[in-house]
Amino acid sequence: MFLATIPSPDRGVWHLGPIPIRAYALCIIAGIILAIWWGDRRWVQRGGTKGTVVDIAVWAVPFGLVGGRLYHVITDWWRYFGEGKDPVKALYIWDGGLGIWGAIALGAVGAWIGCRRKGVPLPAMADAIAPGIVVAQAIGRLGNYFNQELYGAHTTLPWGLEIYQRFDPNNPTIPDQGPNGIAFGHIPLADSPVHPTFLYELIWNLLIAALVVYADRKMRLGHGRAFALYVAGYTLGRFWIELMRTDDATHILGLRVNTWTSILVFAGAMVYFVLAKRRGPREAPETLRSKDDDTEKVAPERE
């Protein structure tokens, strides 16, 4: 029935001649661009030097991409290693598979290097980019929609997602549910329609971004507390969303590994949020100026 469910795209990859155009990659790139742009605006509003976020992103983004892929490969190693598997595919980042936990952890290492080079405090930088990161994650979830992945169990709700059998684009008789497959004929899979858990997370992420911006303005969060609020809010949502997902995943004591990670990271973020308050008011604007900035110090823009 028209509009009774959400249809899935028939593919996640298009070709411009010999060049593959991948929706997942485009979503990741769009999210990164938005996070850098918004982060730079927030950094300047706090008193920092314009362009500093871009300079730090040169370090943070590559580190984050590597960290995200490492986390995915380590926690889902059975997808790439063992009998009948192709280990080289562990490098195929364009096919999907980026763990946000690894991306944040290793991305923070890259950001730390960048902050040291620019002479600015990492916690303050984290506060500036926090809402942009979670919105970037929301945009990235659109890539899962095109790849037809990260969904839940069967549902009869009106926003249920139709999922289709995909086939090898070069041979429509061979099933291929990977990101390169094409849904010839739009044949529904057995569980279709399903809970669009990627959409639930997308909406949750946007709400967390709004919460961080609101709390940051009202409470003038500093010393990494805005970032901690983002992490706590995101992991809270990720916990219940993970419980709904039905895709293959590594389990520990009956729970998906990402569920356990959400619990632990949430606890750590809340502890940091409380303890960091002891460090006093938000960082003074003059402490955020890049050490190589020779321009006259000006008052920060109003938020």
Side-chain angles (χ1 to χ4, degrees):
M1 180 177 178
F2 183 64
L3 293 184
T5 56
I6 302 173
S8 287
D10 64 351
R11 69 185 71 193
V13 182
W14 296 264
H15 285 82
L16 187 61
I19 303 173
I21 308 298
R22 302 178 184 275
Y24 184 84
L26 292 178
C27 291
I28 295 296
I29 292 170
I32 290 173
I33 292 173
L34 183 141
I36 293 173
W37 171 80
W38 194 6
D40 197 59
R41 284 179 57 88
R42 283 174 52 83
W43 183 249
V44 172
Q45 288 169 354
R46 280 167 140 74
T49 306
K50 184 176 179 60
T52 300
V53 172
V54 178
D55 294 335
I56 292 173
V58 171
W59 292 90
V61 171
F63 272 71
L65 291 174
V66 172
R69 189 59 177 180
L70 280 175
Y71 178 89
H72 168 73
V73 172
I74 290 171
T75 55
D76 285 358
W77 59 270
W78 44 270
R79 298 180 186 273
Y80 309 101
F81 305 100
E83 186 178 354
K85 303 295 184 179
D86 184 2
V88 175
K89 290 186 177 180
L91 303 176
Y92 291 3
I93 192 173
W94 52 85
D95 281 348
L98 289 174
I100 185 60
W101 321 108
I104 293 297
L106 210 54
V109 174
W112 175 76
I113 295 173
C115 284
R116 281 185 61 87
R117 291 172 62 88
K118 301 296 290 186
V120 298
L122 175 61
M125 176 59 64
D127 286 337
I129 64 177
I133 289 178
V134 73
V135 171
Q137 291 175 234
I139 296 173
R141 284 304 180 211
L142 289 174
N144 301 133
Y145 172 57
F146 282 95
N147 279 3
Q148 198 173 251
E149 59 190 1
L150 306 193
Y151 49 79
H154 174 74
T155 181
T156 57
L157 293 171
W159 55 82
L161 176 72
E162 293 286 357
I163 50 175
Y164 307 120
Q165 175 65 61
R166 289 184 172 183
F167 300 90
D168 185 327
N170 299 314
N171 190 340
T173 65
I174 300 177
D176 181 0
Q177 288 303 113
N180 295 311
I182 299 177
F184 296 114
H186 295 89
I187 304 169
L189 294 178
D191 292 335
S192 185
V194 295
H195 281 285
T197 52
F198 71 87
L199 178 60
Y200 299 162
E201 184 175 329
L202 186 159
I203 295 172
W204 181 267
N205 287 349
L206 295 179
L207 293 175
I208 294 302
L211 171 65
V212 171
V213 171
Y214 175 80
D216 195 28
R217 288 178 176 174
K218 288 294 183 180
M219 302 168 64
R220 293 190 58 79
L221 300 174
H223 306 289
R225 297 182 75 216
F227 188 83
L229 181 60
Y230 140 63
V231 172
Y234 172 73
T235 51
L236 180 63
R238 185 65 181 266
F239 173 80
W240 63 266
I241 292 171
E242 281 291 328
L243 296 177
M244 297 183 66
R245 284 171 51 173
T246 58
D247 52 304
D248 293 334
T250 303
H251 286 70
I252 300 176
L253 299 178
L255 291 177
R256 297 163 67 98
V257 66
N258 283 332
T259 305
W260 287 111
T261 306
S262 296
I263 295 172
L264 296 174
V265 175
F266 172 81
M270 289 304 300
V271 169
Y272 182 91
F273 183 82
V274 173
L275 295 181
K277 187 177 181 180
R278 300 176 182 177
R279 302 186 65 180
R282 177 188 289 179
E283 296 87 345
E286 58 268 18
T287 66
L288 308 185
R289 307 297 294 183
S290 173
K291 67 180 181 181
D292 55 3
D293 177 42
D294 297 325
T295 61
E296 181 182 357
K297 292 181 174 60
V298 296
E301 302 174 19
R302 294 183 62 188
E303 293 190 67

